[in-house]
Amino acid sequence: MNALMLFATLAITTMFAVAVAAGMLWLTLKAAFLMMRPATARRMPERTELARGTAQLARAFSATR
């Protein structure tokens, strides 16, 4: 009976350790992927009004020629 109790304790402890290890692995992988993101990933896209205006200006001048 004592051996059965020790075996059950070992099995439960092992399952708990596997769950903790899986959680720690997930956290470290998440942190690694967040650190690998490029620095420009959070920036807002630049305004493109000048490019649109330049294209319209080019169209206006090319239509008169």
Side-chain angles (χ1 to χ4, degrees):
M1 190 68 167
N2 193 15
L4 186 62
M5 179 127 169
L6 288 174
F7 180 73
T9 304
L10 180 65
I12 291 171
T13 305
T14 303
M15 286 190 283
F16 179 72
V18 167
V20 169
M24 293 289 288
L25 178 65
W26 181 79
L27 285 174
T28 54
L29 276 173
K30 187 169 180 77
F33 282 126
L34 284 174
M35 286 188 287
M36 286 190 314
R37 286 178 53 189
T40 59
R42 289 183 294 267
R43 291 188 186 160
M44 297 295 293
E46 294 182 12
R47 297 172 62 114
T48 57
E49 292 171 2
L50 180 64
R52 286 189 198 127
T54 306
Q56 290 172 354
L57 191 61
R59 270 187 251 124
F61 277 115
S62 67
T64 59
R65 292 184 180 197

